[in-house]
Amino acid sequence: MTLVAGLDFGTSGAKLLVLSLDGEVVARAQADYPTVTGPGGQAEQDPDDWWAAARAVLAASGVASSLSAIGLTGQMQDLVPVAGRRALRPAMLYSDTRAADEHEALRARLPDWERRTGNHQDASNVAAKIAWLSTHEPHVLDRAERLLLGPAGFVAWRAGAPAACDPTTASTTGLLDVQARDWFGEAVRAAGAEARQLPALTGTGQGGSPDAPLGTVSTEAAAELGVRAGTPLVLAMGDAGATTDGLIGAAAGSAYLYLGTTGWIAGVTVAGEASAEPSPMHSLVMPGWEHRLRIGAVQSAGAAADWARKTFFPGLGFEEAEAQVAPRLGELGARPLCLPGLSGERTPVRDPQLRGAFIGVQEATGPADLYLAVLTGVAMGLRHAADAMGIRQDRLPLVGGAAVSPAWRQILADVFGATVVTGAPEDPAAHSAARAAATALTGDALAGDALAGTGLDGAAPSGSASARPAPAGTSHTRPALAGPADAGTAGTDRTRAARGANTGCAPGTSASGEAERSADAAERVSAQTSRAAHGLTPLLAPGAAVAETTPSAAAGEYAALLKTHRALYDVLAPASHRLAARTRAERG
């Protein structure tokens, strides 16, 4: 039986999923690691803990030595300075906001920053984190051979693969020029780094596959991880893209809803359909650059619902509150409109000072109406995001802890005019990483495509004449599998034959040995491509076992209120800002 693994490095721990090619779950495992928080917005994790978690879950699976390929995904927007196959300091996480001053300085120096990156930028971006390092720990930045951008890239690199970053993760950093399909050199330099320190971008060449092996596990790492030396490593999309792919796939038009403490709608669109200007919606490049993952988030979803339950039904639990509101679910006459943001809003407007509001409270309005108004406000905020992204579909998967609410499912079905489907998908990001590994073994992605056009594959580096996409109707020869070690400097000529001693080999190995192992791995992976396609489908794909909630007769009433609800964000913002300013003044 051919086994593939998906490793997902989340905020609180690593999850491993081992699958057969027909979709049978062979093993699951999880290992936690701590986050260190501190003054000024510090949020860090030790990359050695990521490595230890990978070792732990592979050992717990009991089948590590039988794996044919390993796919990796995880949290994005981290900063991990490394040298000599080790981290130089703890990783600064996506949630680390110490670099507020550096962020403002970069904004002043980079007037077209948001247009070039296709996203609004804030103090959590990686460019600002690099600038913070340059100011506070310049010795670390000087020593760093590479600046990695998440645990998936770090673990793959420490295991023996080249330093690389998928375009979805790169989109979150504030360092990716989405039009040039390359790192934004001006931002890199302004932050205090050098282009050579950044990892290679995967999947940027014409026909480049996100599922091609990045490299293979070195002998040293194999001994630590308990896997076979030469096992292919596949760098899947960062967690936002992997979760989407694991749930619904990555085809244009696919979308799903998430309801947790916050909420969002995530949808895959054709790149040309996305606005060239940044918007409140996040826009993440997907491998191949032809599609974008767009995410519209509401700041308070489950948090707002929990506030409403405690406020309007004090002492009642979730199920008791649901029973109280059920009789009023289809009655909108006494239900006010609600803006649900308790601590700012992210969509349909990005406004950290905007606060929640009820409009249209009347004598007949009761606790159930106010509670349902909050749920409706969240649903309408998500619908505004869907409209802005051009998402229209009759079947809308819903995941997250709040998906257990029958009232909320019905409201979403009515607000979207779509059938809301729910199931019990487990570990979608790890599932996607395993799917990527399976595709590397069974699909038409031949060895080396993941780094096509980057220079790490022995071809011309990005930006050179020979690296540009071939004209339509021409063909290209796919290079051999990239070697398991870092192959040199980003943005420079890194062809191994031209570098001689600079082979990028792991310490203690020879160029010929690495080349032979890469060739053996390429031959092994290439041989797998003759297999039948694997059976790993998205967890909530059509045909999956799901529960369905269809629109009710009230759907038309909700539709009539959408335009008015959207206008409230603009109308109420000035008053909300004045209230916020007064509160700040009173607090001194």
Side-chain angles (χ1 to χ4, degrees):
M1 180 188 298
T2 301
L3 301 181
V4 293
L7 262 173
D8 173 25
F9 296 91
T11 302
S12 59
K15 295 180 179 179
L16 175 75
L17 178 63
V18 179
L19 301 172
S20 68
L21 293 185
D22 62 4
E24 178 187 352
V25 176
V26 175
R28 293 183 191 272
Q30 181 171 345
D32 296 336
Y33 37 73
T35 298
V36 176
T37 58
Q42 175 191 9
E44 296 181 340
Q45 289 176 352
D46 187 343
D48 284 344
D49 290 340
W50 299 338
W51 183 256
R55 295 179 62 184
V57 294
L58 285 165
S61 74
V63 293
S65 62
S66 300
L67 297 176
S68 295
I70 302 170
L72 302 99
T73 182
Q75 56 181 295
M76 307 181 293
Q77 204 174 328
D78 299 344
L79 176 61
V80 194
V82 299
R85 298 282 168 188
R86 295 295 184 270
L88 297 176
R89 73 176 311 281
M92 298 177 71
L93 300 188
Y94 64 92
S95 52
D96 192 304
T97 56
R98 282 175 287 179
D101 291 343
E102 288 78 9
H103 167 70
E104 291 303 323
L106 286 172
R107 285 177 61 88
R109 293 186 62 180
L110 303 168
D112 62 344
W113 190 12
E114 294 188 342
R115 182 185 62 81
R116 295 281 290 275
T117 59
N119 284 289
H120 289 305
Q121 301 298 334
D122 59 29
S124 67
N125 71 80
V126 173
K129 292 182 175 72
I130 294 173
W132 186 93
L133 272 188
S134 180
T135 300
H136 298 277
E137 300 178 15
H139 60 287
V140 172
L141 194 57
D142 290 343
R143 289 179 56 202
E145 297 171 2
R146 294 286 186 173
L147 300 172
L148 302 182
L149 302 168
F154 172 81
V155 170
W157 173 80
R158 182 163 170 179
C165 179
D166 68 281
T168 308
T169 297
S171 298
T172 68
T173 64
L175 293 169
L176 184 69
D177 188 329
V178 295
Q179 301 303 320
R181 299 190 178 194
D182 205 347
W183 296 116
F184 184 10
E186 189 177 350
V188 175
R189 291 187 295 273
E194 300 178 28
R196 65 175 178 80
Q197 293 175 297
L198 293 185
L201 287 167
T202 63
T204 59
Q206 182 172 341
S209 168
D211 302 318
L214 175 67
T216 59
V217 178
S218 69
T219 302
E220 179 184 358
E224 293 188 53
L225 296 174
V227 301
R228 292 176 293 184
T231 300
L233 296 165
V234 179
L235 187 61
M237 290 180 279
D239 60 0
T243 297
T244 302
D245 176 66
L247 289 170
I248 58 173
S254 301
Y256 75 96
L257 293 165
Y258 170 83
L259 286 179
T261 302
T262 61
W264 65 72
I265 182 166
V268 182
T269 65
V270 176
E273 295 174 353
S275 171
E277 296 300 321
S279 77
M281 267 59 73
H282 301 284
S283 179
L284 309 181
V285 176
M286 302 190 77
W289 292 75
E290 296 177 357
H291 294 149
R292 299 288 186 267
L293 173 61
R294 304 190 69 202
I295 303 171
V298 294
Q299 186 75 16
S300 303
D306 192 49
W307 170 84
R309 178 181 58 81
K310 293 176 180 177
T311 302
F312 303 122
F313 297 110
L316 296 188
F318 165 75
E319 293 183 355
E320 295 169 303
E322 286 280 318
Q324 290 284 330
V325 303
R328 301 288 292 172
L329 191 55
E331 302 293 330
L332 275 67
R335 189 184 308 174
L337 292 177
C338 173
L339 302 189
L342 299 177
S343 56
E345 192 52 273
R346 289 190 281 176
T347 191
V349 296
R350 185 167 292 194
D351 188 341
Q353 298 184 59
L354 191 64
R355 293 297 183 266
F358 291 102
I359 300 294
V361 177
Q362 54 187 285
E363 188 175 356
T365 300
D369 301 302
L370 292 165
Y371 178 84
L372 290 170
V374 173
L375 305 191
T376 303
V378 172
M380 287 189 168
L382 293 169
R383 170 62 191 268
H384 299 321
D387 290 343
M389 292 188 284
I391 292 175
R392 299 282 192 279
Q393 58 188 67
D394 297 329
R395 181 182 183 275
L396 199 55
L398 170 65
V399 297
V404 299
S405 167
W408 221 339
R409 293 199 301 268
Q410 187 60 64
I411 289 171
L412 286 165
D414 290 339
V415 168
F416 278 86
T419 298
V420 171
V421 299
T422 53
E426 290 190 75
D427 306 328
H431 183 82
S432 174
R435 280 182 6 108
T439 300
L441 293 179
T442 65
D444 63 354
L446 294 184
D449 269 3
L451 295 176
T454 67
L456 285 180
D457 52 12
S462 176
S464 67
S466 58
R468 297 188 183 108
T474 64
S475 61
H476 67 281
T477 301
R478 305 187 185 200
L481 180 67
D486 196 339
T489 300
T492 64
D493 182 0
R494 292 158 295 184
T495 304
R496 295 183 180 185
R499 284 299 185 189
N502 184 19
T503 62
C505 296
T509 62
S510 66
S512 60
E514 291 297 317
E516 289 173 4
R517 185 154 63 84
S518 295
D520 289 344
E523 183 177 351
R524 181 170 62 254
V525 173
S526 182
Q528 297 282 358
T529 62
S530 61
R531 295 178 182 269
H534 64 74
L536 307 186
T537 59
L539 296 169
L540 292 180
V546 296
E548 297 186 346
T549 304
T550 58
S552 72
E557 294 183 68
Y558 285 101
L561 294 170
L562 281 168
K563 186 177 292 187
T564 301
H565 185 268
R566 173 62 184 86
L568 288 178
Y569 288 91
D570 301 319
V571 171
L572 296 179
S576 187
H577 294 171
R578 287 194 295 271
L579 287 171
R582 187 181 71 180
T583 300
R584 289 195 301 271
E586 290 174 349
R587 292 175 178 174

